[in-house]
Amino acid sequence: MEEKREGRGCKGSKPEVAKLTFQLFKIENITVIKPPLLKIYYWEYLDIDKKLSGRQQNIEHNFIIPTSQLNSKPLKIVWWLKNMSKEKLTLQLKRIKNCDCVLKQTRVGVNQFRYLYHCPHRYLVNITQEMIVMNADDLVAMSVIAYFYLFGAYVLTFEMKASDFRKILMHFHINVVAFDPVDCILTHALIPVNIKDFQRIAQPIWICNKTMQSIQVLFKGRERGFRLINPNLVVPLLSVWPLIVEYRPSEFENHLELSLSFNNVRYKVPISCKGFLEQPEPDKEAPTYDYDCADFLYVIYPNKLVFNAEMNEEQFLMVAVHNYNQKCMDFKWQPYVHMISLYNSNNKETNPFSYVISRYFSFSFEPSEFNLKAHHSRLCVVSVRTYDKPLHFKRIPAILEVHRILDKSTQIAKQLLTEVESIDNPKWRQDSFVEHVFLHIDIKVNLPKEKPIIILPEADRQKVIIPLLVPFTKSSRMLNQDLQPGSKKDTQCITVFEKLFWEYLSKSNYMRNTSKIPTNLNYNEVINGFTTMKKGSQTSTYDVDKS
């Protein structure tokens, strides 16, 4: 009977709930194939690792793809999934319909019809794999391809079911525009600034031009402590350009508003900035390494450089460029000719393969052009020179162009037959450009450190010799001549400032009895008092302690 009672348990006791344990996997890295922007713009929304490492059975996350131009090239992003557990893990993916498209009767054969969805949105985001199987410590690639053939903003949802009974809903946000100058602004929040620094710090607002022609925009800002350095900005085609601002926040939370003019039409651009007293937590940073794959053959390691320099300083860092292709390729660091003509047009000594913003910073590459054989690497030195301006620039895109090497006959044909047009499109008409690779650079120029003023107590003050010297006057020379031959003379260097300072004090009306003040006293005699003078002195006896 007792055993039966123990088996049944008490009526008031609660049944024990088994704790769910899930297999751990994460998105370790991403590879963006021929990206129009830096890798950080795609990685900053991949903060799903915190949710995957928790004990939630149903996970939901939003992935935002940067705004793209209508009918632009498809964007391919490779997600590198890693199984962190010691067991086999299976992932199944399927698309979930969340649009208003309805079934339509569709002919599928001779006198055969079916009701099918003719949804134009389903191909905006495409995931090639429907099932992913990962063994212990496996690293598997999952390809996500985004197409930009429909105008507007859309949300596509994919469901991922894991073998550990977890469900992950992934919402892909995609925005396709014709052209909107407000969507060209990539920076919506300035870098946080220390409120203790009583000086404005220069930083960029990045403007992206994804069209095939240059655009000219005009910015205006009327906020206190906010200054635009280059408000009239010309952004070349398919490039990213900085709008340089100098700002010092007055509060912890600041909301600014810029006025943007394009083709005589004004737009309002909200910008936020935070101030801090203690250094905040760093932002989510992308991995500094890239995995090579069939579509990503040219790798820069590390893909990000951080320079923390002082004013008027030059620093050097190195990167390695590796060629995973089977052919020898030509590499060139992209020259910033427009940037030089905009900011530093009078400087004739500027390196054509350098990124220069006059009065702020400049960085150059050595070597600026080189060839790489198949599966070979080359080291490049990146040198940065700063000036007398405090600044904090993040997400500077340095571009390495990859070109195919043309044979000699093709080069001769390009030189001699450029004006000839052929029907069969000969080889010399092809461009040598293949793709470009980004190098992410961050630069911070610190404010000069202020030396603290140390006030010593009276006991220690007597031990310190203060180098305040007396100028050469007639009376001081006479005192030196009247010294005893066995005494030591004080050999002191007298500066122009000290001479003018003592002459000013001797003629000043702020001191009592200026006519009786001797000018032949040294610093210690002035401080301690001097009551007796020699008879041969030109000045009368005067006690500085008496009123």
Side-chain angles (χ1 to χ4, degrees), residues 6 46 130 170 294 429 434 448 505 522:
E6 292 178 358
L46 286 173
E130 295 183 356
M170 300 181 295
R429 297 288 295 177
V434 178
L505 288 182
N522 58 21

Side-chain angles (χ1 to χ4, degrees), residues 436-488:
H436 60 254
V437 186
F438 281 110
L439 173 62
H440 182 166
I441 297 180
D442 289 352
I443 301 177
K444 184 178 181 181
V445 179
N446 301 313
L447 291 168
K449 296 181 180 179
E450 298 181 357
K451 296 182 179 180
I453 300 175
I454 302 175
I455 301 177
L456 298 176
E458 295 183 358
D460 297 336
R461 197 181 302 171
Q462 298 176 357
K463 302 178 182 178
V464 180
I465 300 175
I466 303 175
L468 183 60
L469 308 178
V470 185
F472 286 118
T473 58
K474 293 182 179 180
S475 56
S476 64
R477 291 172 184 172
M478 292 177 65
L479 277 178
N480 291 332
Q481 292 175 0
D482 294 337
L483 290 174
Q484 296 180 1
S487 62
K488 295 182 180 179

Side-chain angles (χ1 to χ4, degrees), residues 413-414 416-426 428-429:
K414 275 183 171 295
L416 301 179
L417 305 176
T418 53
E419 299 179 358
V420 178
E421 295 183 0
S422 180
I423 300 175
D424 55 351
N425 190 14
W428 59 269
R429 297 288 295 177

Side-chain angles (χ1 to χ4, degrees), residues 321-385:
V321 181
H322 191 83
N323 179 18
Y324 286 96
N325 200 348
Q326 300 295 331
K327 299 180 180 179
C328 183
M329 305 297 289
D330 185 23
F331 295 84
K332 300 177 183 178
W333 291 103
Q334 188 180 89
Y336 286 81
V337 180
H338 297 282
M339 181 71 71
I340 295 171
S341 63
L342 180 62
Y343 294 104
N344 202 14
S345 58
N346 297 326
N347 189 2
K348 298 181 181 180
E349 298 180 358
T350 305
N351 185 1
F353 292 94
S354 61
Y355 190 117
V356 177
I357 298 181
S358 180
R359 298 183 293 111
Y360 286 96
F361 69 88
S362 64
F363 59 84
S364 57
F365 307 93
E366 181 65 32
S368 58
E369 184 177 354
F370 54 93
N371 295 337
L372 267 185
K373 297 180 180 179
H375 300 281
H376 278 65
S377 299
R378 181 67 181 268
L379 292 176
C380 295
V381 179
V382 183
S383 61
V384 170
R385 182 169 184 176

Side-chain angles (χ1 to χ4, degrees), residues 234-447:
V234 178
V235 185
L237 69 157
L238 300 177
S239 61
V240 179
W241 230 240
L243 169 67
I244 305 175
V245 300
E246 291 184 354
Y247 180 61
R248 177 188 174 271
S250 57
E251 299 178 359
F252 291 102
E253 295 287 341
N254 302 270
H255 299 281
L256 314 177
E257 188 175 89
L258 296 181
S259 176
L260 186 153
S261 300
F262 177 75
N263 290 341
N264 297 326
V265 180
R266 290 187 178 182
Y267 304 88
K268 292 183 179 180
V269 181
I271 300 293
S272 63
C273 180
K274 293 183 179 181
F276 66 88
L277 294 176
E278 297 181 358
Q279 187 69 28
E281 295 182 0
D283 298 333
K284 184 178 178 62
E285 298 293 342
T288 58
Y289 53 90
D290 289 307
Y291 296 140
D292 63 290
C293 58
D295 298 320
F296 195 78
L297 300 176
Y298 315 103
V299 178
I300 299 178
Y301 178 80
N303 57 25
K304 179 182 178 181
L305 296 179
V306 179
F307 292 90
N308 193 350
E310 304 296 333
M311 293 183 180
N312 300 315
E313 185 182 3
E314 190 172 5
Q315 291 187 0
F316 302 89
L317 289 177
M318 300 181 69
V319 295
V321 181
H322 191 83
N323 179 18
Y324 286 96
N325 200 348
Q326 300 295 331
K327 299 180 180 179
C328 183
M329 305 297 289
D330 185 23
F331 295 84
K332 300 177 183 178
W333 291 103
Q334 188 180 89
Y336 286 81
V337 180
H338 297 282
M339 181 71 71
I340 295 171
S341 63
L342 180 62
Y343 294 104
N344 202 14
S345 58
N346 297 326
N347 189 2
K348 298 181 181 180
E349 298 180 358
T350 305
N351 185 1
F353 292 94
S354 61
Y355 190 117
V356 177
I357 298 181
S358 180
R359 298 183 293 111
Y360 286 96
F361 69 88
S362 64
F363 59 84
S364 57
F365 307 93
E366 181 65 32
S368 58
E369 184 177 354
F370 54 93
N371 295 337
L372 267 185
K373 297 180 180 179
H375 300 281
H376 278 65
S377 299
R378 181 67 181 268
L379 292 176
C380 295
V381 179
V382 183
S383 61
V384 170
R385 182 169 184 176
T386 61
Y387 301 101
D388 55 351
K389 294 282 186 178
L391 58 91
H392 196 180
F393 274 55
K394 284 189 174 183
R395 304 184 179 186
I396 302 174
I399 300 176
L400 178 64
E401 295 181 356
V402 184
H403 294 261
R404 64 174 60 92
I405 299 178
L406 304 178
D407 51 48
K408 292 184 178 180
S409 60
T410 304
Q411 294 178 3
I412 295 174
K414 275 183 171 295
Q415 296 175 358
L416 301 179
L417 305 176
T418 53
E419 299 179 358
V420 178
E421 295 183 0
S422 180
I423 300 175
D424 55 351
N425 190 14
K427 182 180 178 182
W428 59 269
R429 297 288 295 177
Q430 297 179 1
D431 191 9
S432 63
F433 176 76
V434 178
E435 62 177 278
H436 60 254
V437 186
F438 281 110
L439 173 62
H440 182 166
I441 297 180
D442 289 352
I443 301 177
K444 184 178 181 181
V445 179
N446 301 313
L447 291 168

